[in-house]
Each structure stands twice: as structure tokens, then as C-alpha cells.
Amino acid sequence: MYPLWWALAWQDIRQRYRRSVLGPFWITLSTGVMVSAMGPLYGALLGQDVGSYTQHLAVSLILWMFISGSINEAGAVFIGSEGYIKQVALPLSIYIYRMVARNLAMFMHNLVIIVIVLFFMPPANFSYIWLVPFGFCLVLGNLIWIIMLLGLISTRFRDIPQLVANLVQVAFFVSPIIWKAEMLTPKTRFVADFNPLYHFMEIIRAPLLGEPIQLLSWLVSGFLFIFGCTLTFYAFVRLRSRVPYWI
Amino acid sequence: MKIIKATNLVVEFPIYGMNGNRSFKKSLMNIATGGVLAKDAASRVVVRALNGLDFEFSEGDRVGLIGHNGSGKSTLLQVLAGIYEPSEGELTVDGKITSMLGITLGMDGEVTGLENIYLRGRLMGLDLVQINDLVESIAEFAGIGDYLHLPMRTYSSGMAMRLAFAIATSVKADIILMDEWLSVGDADFILKAKERLTNLVNNARLVVIASHDHSMIKDQCDTIVSMEHGKILSISKF
């Protein structure tokens, strides 16, 4: 039996696209248009080979939409479920999973674009592709603790969602999404290396594009996962029961 | 046998925004400035919705909570339902709670009545097999016929209420919590609804109902808890 959070998440998606002919495939379509418009243009502007740049852009943009969408919505994860939280005693994790599942469902619709791009413009090799699921699970795990923690703090301090939205917007430009990390000079390389979002994207992106994953990316993502889960666990144990009061 | 026992049950709602300490800036400033502002933050405004309640409800009790608006009836139900954890004191509940607070929660006008039965059923803690078994009797009791397969926004408000009522009352309940005796407008339906609800209540081990309606409480309950300003004035059994 599919769990309750999945039923609720699916309901959210349907509600958003109800009575529209394409429904959730609007997600696919709009990403497709964006990638095909930006790929050749920015590829040329940045003096890149259009094929490899479009691969990079498609994968990066779609991963970014998933990661930034989850982080941006995190602040509202409990606040937005006020009606539920105040009327039924369900575990708070349901609202987290509902949100992650909703974003995951949108990601799945975008995945079609990645498949199409990689089919028509295949990367040099597919020998690391088996690493993708591992990278993805690690990113998902990281997103879950980030959402839980941000959701918890945002319920208490209502400035946090604004702050997060601001940071995420900046992060789009300073992370290698429309540009590549290889374009950085050794002097500016720190922009990527000290950016956890770069490592999150890299452990999925690199194997998709036929490159090995750097050890640093594994280490950063793995360490953040362990550190973040521990922190969130303690915060949640202490503060979980306060959430209905804070809302 | 005791089913619910509370000792010195207190529920306090912190009111943020009164002294502005909901914003992160203020909290930071409190840390930074220490003294004066911190004192402000410490003496935060709280509303004591329940103020040291002691009670015990036993198997077979039909408890009616009466009191004016703001006396704490609904908050008490929410605490019993496990929504709020007591700020102080202890509460033990021995059994499975079926809360009938918000019986339309989660219903969506854009999906069919049938899908709403599944959604509501899941929210009430039923699994798919249980819901499958109940669908027919729910639809029949609600009397919505073929509308079952139409989006709920096409329903009249009476039909939507009947459906919500039918779903809520279709479960076997152990401990029932109700905010106001569920009443469903439509004259023909009232009698049928009352019978079904009475039947449900009679099969439960414990029932707690909050209401303004004294005659209904006298009719349905054998224990009356009278509340005022978050305190219990009296508990009378008869």
C-alpha cells in the first residue's frame, strides 16, 4: 500500500495542474523549452562546444530545480500544513515526506529531458552511470535533513524563509549551473570547492556526463549527511512537540 | 478501568510577535544586548488555555464538556487527541483515539467523492482494504448515488457534509473525541444521522464531547465536566 504522504503529495501535484490538458507534463515542457533555448545561446556566448554544454546545462538546471525547490519550500513545510497539524495528530515526518515526494514527482517529469538530451547528444562514455543512484540517494538524504531543520526553525522564526529564498537565489549564480566548474581558474576554484550545493550536484551530474566523481564531492556530501542528520535528530527530539504551539 | 488520566494538566500558548521576538533579529539582539531586551524576552506573553486540570475518565464513560467560548473545551480535546503535548503535568491515554475534530480536513473539491473517501479514510488511519470494504456503505448512507464519481465541487453543501459525516462515522472507534455533536442539516437525514452516531457512540469504550448545547449533553452523556477559564468547575456523574 502506498503511504499517506505519497497520497497527499500526488494530490498536491494534481491540484496544481487540475483540468489542464498536459497536466504535470507542463513541467517537462517548460524545462524542455528552457534547455533548448539556453543551451545553444549560452554555449556560444561562453565559447563552449554546444553539445557538451547543453548536456551540462540540462542536467545542472534540472538538478538545481529539484534541490532549490526543496530548500525554498522547506520553510513552509509545517507552516503550510497548519490545518492538518492542528486537527490531526500525525507524525510531523509525514509533512516532510509529502513535500519531498512532491518535488521528487516534479523531478521525475524533468528526468525525461535528461534522457532525451543524453540520447541525442551522448556523453563520451556511460561507464560511471551506475554511481548515479548512490549519488542521488545521498543528495536526497541531505535534502531531507535540511528540510526538517529549516522547517523547524522557520516555524519559530518567520524571517528564516525570506533569508533562505535570498541565499538560494544568489546560490544559483555562484554555483556551476549555467557555467562549468572547469572554467574557474585555480585562483577562483574555491567558489566551487567551498560550495556544498556544487558537491551535491556533482555526485549526480559527473557520472551522468561520463566523468568520475571527485573524492572531495563524496567526502563533503557524506560528511554533511552525517553531521546534518545528527544535528537535526537532536533538534527534532527537543523541539518537535513545540511545533503545533509555534504555528 | 481508567482510560484517560490527567494530573495537573497545563497547556500554555506562547504569543509571539507581542514583543517582536518571533523575528530572528530580535533574538540575535537579545543575545547581543543582554540585559534589558533579554528581560523582555524572558517575560514573554503566554495564554494559559488549560490551567492545572485533574480528571479521570473510565471505560464506558460518556463525557460531556460544557463551558463558554474560550473555556478550554476545544483545547482539552486537542490535547487528548495528541495534537498538543501538555506544557506541564501528565496525561495518560490507554486506547486508540478516533478524533472527529475537523471531519472535512483534507477533502478536495476537485476530485471525486470516491477519491475523497479514500483520502479521508487514510487520514483517519484506515488502510486500503478497510476503506474498500466501507466504500459502498458510506456512499449508500450519504445518499449521493452516482455523484460518487463526480468531483466534489459539483455537490450541494448538504451532500458534501453528508459524505464527510458518513466517512467519519463509518469507523469502529475505541475512544471518540467530538467537538460539537455532529449535525447534518437536511431534515430527512437528521434522524438517520442521529441513529448512526448514537450507535457509534454506544459501541465506543469512551466518548468525550464538547458542546454548548446543554440539552444534547444531558441527552447523550453520563458525566458532565463544566469548564471555565481553562479550569474545571465541577465534574458531575449521573
Side-chain angles (χ1 to χ4, degrees):
Chain A
M1 185 176 72
Y2 56 94
L4 176 60
W5 49 264
W6 180 253
L8 292 172
W10 189 238
Q11 192 69 18
D12 289 339
I13 297 264
R14 290 188 14 169
Q15 211 161 26
R16 198 174 298 179
Y17 295 98
R18 65 186 160 209
R19 289 155 80 186
S20 106
V21 180
L22 284 182
F25 285 99
W26 272 111
I27 306 169
T28 319
L29 194 70
S30 63
T31 311
V33 169
M34 188 138 110
V35 168
S36 40
M38 280 176 75
L41 175 64
Y42 280 76
L45 277 178
L46 297 168
Q48 296 280 306
D49 168 61
V50 169
S52 82
Y53 179 77
T54 307
Q55 286 166 14
H56 166 86
L57 184 76
V59 174
S60 308
L61 260 184
I62 288 165
L63 286 176
W64 175 254
M65 284 177 185
F66 176 59
I67 294 173
S68 68
S70 307
I71 295 178
N72 269 332
E73 281 182 43
V77 69
F78 299 130
I79 302 171
S81 307
E82 177 174 1
Y84 284 86
I85 293 176
K86 288 200 168 173
Q87 292 188 75
V88 271
L90 295 171
L92 288 178
S93 51
I94 282 194
Y95 309 109
I96 310 273
Y97 296 146
R98 174 189 193 174
M99 207 204 91
V100 173
R102 191 169 62 217
N103 281 292
L104 210 53
M106 289 170 66
F107 175 73
M108 290 303 167
H109 284 90
N110 277 332
L111 208 55
V112 179
I113 301 288
I114 296 188
V115 173
I116 292 173
V117 168
L118 294 188
F119 182 80
F120 287 105
M121 294 174 240
N125 63 74
F126 281 111
S127 43
Y128 299 103
I129 201 114
W130 59 277
L131 283 168
V132 172
F134 297 98
F136 191 78
C137 287
L138 191 52
V139 171
L140 198 61
N142 270 305
L143 283 178
I144 289 177
W145 76 256
I146 293 173
I147 294 168
M148 281 179 119
L149 194 64
L150 281 179
L152 197 64
I153 308 172
S154 303
T155 313
R156 174 67 181 81
F157 297 103
R158 301 295 169 103
D159 295 278
I160 300 293
Q162 310 296 333
L163 180 69
V164 169
N166 210 306
L167 291 179
V168 168
Q169 203 170 24
V170 174
F172 173 76
F173 294 101
V174 300
S175 305
I177 298 160
I178 42 181
W179 46 276
K180 293 182 176 182
E182 296 94 88
M183 298 175 187
L184 294 168
T185 58
K187 254 187 172 172
T188 50
R189 177 74 206 180
F190 71 93
V191 176
D193 285 345
F194 283 93
N195 180 353
L197 296 176
Y198 162 69
H199 296 293
F200 288 171
M201 282 192 284
E202 200 56 18
I203 56 175
I204 307 171
R205 180 169 58 193
L208 269 176
L209 301 180
E211 292 155 24
I213 300 173
Q214 306 166 54
L215 183 63
L216 182 66
S217 295
W218 277 126
L219 286 178
V220 170
S221 307
F223 171 77
L224 279 177
F225 177 68
I226 294 166
F227 171 76
C229 284
T230 316
L231 178 71
T232 307
F233 177 77
Y234 283 109
F236 225 67
V237 167
R238 278 200 51 164
L239 301 171
R240 177 185 49 86
S241 66
R242 300 301 301 161
V243 170
Y245 286 97
W246 286 341
I247 290 176
Chain B
M1 205 182 90
K2 303 279 169 280
I3 296 186
I4 296 181
K5 185 177 182 340
T7 18
N8 188 34
L9 186 68
V10 172
V11 167
E12 276 180 345
F13 292 102
I15 307 299
Y16 299 106
M18 287 294 289
N19 45 18
N21 77 347
R22 188 158 225 181
S23 101
F24 194 58
K25 183 181 85 184
K26 287 282 173 61
S27 273
L28 274 182
M29 275 167 58
N30 286 339
I31 298 168
T33 54
V36 187
L37 280 173
K39 209 172 138 196
D40 260 338
S43 61
R44 58 177 191 182
V45 186
V46 292
V47 171
R48 231 169 215 241
L50 297 179
N51 195 353
L53 306 188
D54 297 288
F55 56 82
E56 283 179 0
F57 300 148
S58 318
E59 180 140 13
D61 280 355
R62 303 282 169 261
V63 182
L65 304 176
I66 54 171
H68 295 293
N69 287 334
S71 58
K73 304 187 298 284
S74 299
T75 310
L76 179 54
L77 287 179
Q78 284 173 307
V79 174
L80 295 180
I83 294 165
Y84 293 116
E85 276 182 29
S87 310
E88 281 171 44
E90 263 186 68
L91 175 72
T92 49
V93 176
D94 175 27
K96 192 178 169 293
I97 301 250
T98 301
S99 131
M100 308 224 169
L101 321 172
I103 59 166
T104 55
L105 175 77
M107 282 187 136
D108 182 353
E110 288 298 324
V111 305
T112 66
L114 186 65
E115 285 171 283
N116 273 305
I117 294 179
Y118 279 89
L119 266 175
R120 276 302 304 160
R122 294 298 305 273
L123 276 173
M124 293 181 65
L126 302 176
D127 59 43
L128 283 186
V129 183
Q130 289 170 306
I131 304 174
N132 285 337
D133 293 341
L134 289 170
V135 163
E136 213 170 306
S137 69
I138 290 173
E140 196 200 311
F141 185 80
I144 53 174
D146 288 339
Y147 272 88
L148 187 63
H149 301 287
L150 288 182
M152 228 178 67
R153 69 187 142 82
T154 62
Y155 293 17
S156 69
S157 55
M159 285 169 72
M161 271 315 293
R162 291 205 302 267
L163 183 63
F165 176 89
I167 301 168
T169 51
S170 64
V171 295
K172 276 204 183 62
D174 185 33
I175 303 172
I176 299 180
L177 306 178
M178 248 188 270
D179 204 349
E180 291 297 332
W181 183 254
L182 302 176
S183 59
V184 190
D186 202 298
D188 300 336
F189 193 71
I190 287 182
L191 217 67
K192 233 171 91 181
K194 195 176 174 198
E195 191 186 301
R196 185 173 163 109
L197 200 52
T198 312
N199 194 28
L200 177 77
V201 163
N202 288 342
N203 285 319
R205 280 163 70 216
L206 173 66
V207 181
V208 184
I209 307 172
S211 179
H212 293 290
D213 184 351
H214 288 233
S215 62
M216 186 282 294
I217 293 274
K218 285 209 174 88
D219 202 34
Q220 296 291 340
C221 303
D222 56 18
T223 306
I224 294 183
V225 177
S226 161
M227 297 183 67
E228 203 176 285
H229 299 308
K231 287 189 171 173
I232 292 180
L233 286 184
S234 64
I235 300 182
S236 45
K237 291 185 183 251
F238 49 94

